[in-house]
Amino acid sequence: MNKDLYSVLGVSRTASESEIKSAYRKLARKYHPDLNKDNKDAAEKFKEISAAYDILGDKEKRQKYDNNEIDADGRPTGFGAGFGGGEGFNDGSFYTYTSRGGRQGNPFGGAGGFDFSSIFGDDIFSQFGGASGQTFRGGSRRPRKGEDIAYNMPIDFLDAVRGSEQKVLIGSKTVNVKVPAGSSDGQTLRLKGLGQPGAGGGENGDVLITLKVRAHPYFKAEGNDILIDLPISLKEAVLGAKVTVPTISGKVAVKIPPYSDSGEKLRLKGKGIKSRTTTGDEIITLKVITSKTKNSELEKILQTLPDENIRSF
């Protein structure tokens, strides 16, 4: 093996033991052959990272590797190299593990008692089709919580802010998920006990649902308040008017005060998001829109008005 072992695990030469273990655990889960049954490259990659961890995960071997006393295959680099002094994947074979901590070929340095569960967790064999009912380390087995399952769930804006019940397919089972009023984009809902089965009598994992709230064409949420821009005409701005405005609970009539300006805000009390403790408002921002269509009458009227100094600069 000519590759740098640190590069194989994606860590620096100054990485701590925990960083090396974490990197190996992540890669081993990704490339385990039982999760990539039709991918020969994954099996080769799994052997490669296991061989790298065999050396870098052992303090003594790592020191020898760093001092160039052994090579990436674990063989001595000086006198005796090539005479079978190394351990690990020297014959290129693929090793499998028994749930008793033994081996059928062991890439972890020949020690049959290596605690494989410290990398994957005791329930790794149940996930990969192994003998999950057997035990580690002399028959004792610690209860372990099952793995959590993560989902992304797209949801409409109004369903999120008003609260709703959504149906989600988890495996082959349809589950009703209650979305609380005022839920926001990126919020995670937890469904207890619906994840992977636990091991050794441990509790099941959970299902974690991350909400992906679709944008609304004119509503936005800010805390418990609903924000909306309201376009009004020049006539409505100057003379005032009564207009219909949408809210998350239906349409309402709103009075526009005479001589309103763009940017002025109106507040509709209690028309925002209702939570357990409070109810927000709807905040309306006025936007005066002038017509792009030529209007000779309007031009004549404006010509008769006195000039006003409305600028302070």
Side-chain angles (χ1 to χ4, degrees), residues 293-305:
T293 304
K294 184 176 177 63
N295 189 327
S296 300
E297 277 192 43
L298 177 61
E299 292 176 12
K300 289 178 182 179
I301 292 171
L302 293 176
Q303 289 290 346
T304 64
L305 297 177

Side-chain angles (χ1 to χ4, degrees), residues 76-218:
T77 56
F79 181 77
F83 291 91
E87 297 176 296
F89 289 99
N90 293 335
D91 62 354
S93 61
F94 176 70
Y95 299 105
T96 59
Y97 297 83
T98 69
S99 60
R100 297 185 182 276
R103 65 183 176 113
Q104 298 168 350
N106 190 343
F108 294 96
F114 180 84
D115 187 3
F116 197 67
S117 67
S118 67
I119 299 297
F120 288 104
D122 288 346
D123 59 339
I124 189 66
F125 299 102
S126 65
Q127 293 182 35
F128 294 156
S132 61
Q134 299 182 25
T135 57
F136 294 86
R137 294 185 178 272
S140 63
R141 192 171 178 212
R142 296 171 300 181
R144 287 184 181 272
K145 181 181 178 181
E147 293 288 330
D148 293 337
I149 301 174
Y151 284 90
N152 288 332
M153 184 174 76
I155 184 172
D156 289 337
F157 178 88
L158 292 179
D159 287 335
V161 299
R162 292 191 299 208
S164 60
E165 190 170 281
Q166 305 289 320
K167 293 185 182 298
V168 176
L169 185 64
I170 299 176
S172 59
K173 183 179 179 182
T174 300
V175 177
N176 291 329
V177 179
K178 290 185 177 179
V179 179
S183 295
S184 57
D185 184 62
Q187 182 174 332
T188 299
L189 307 179
R190 182 182 294 270
L191 306 183
K192 294 287 291 182
L194 295 183
Q196 297 287 2
E203 63 181 356
N204 291 349
D206 304 329
V207 169
L208 305 178
I209 298 180
T210 300
L211 300 181
K212 300 297 181 183
V213 180
R214 301 183 182 98
H216 195 273
Y218 38 85

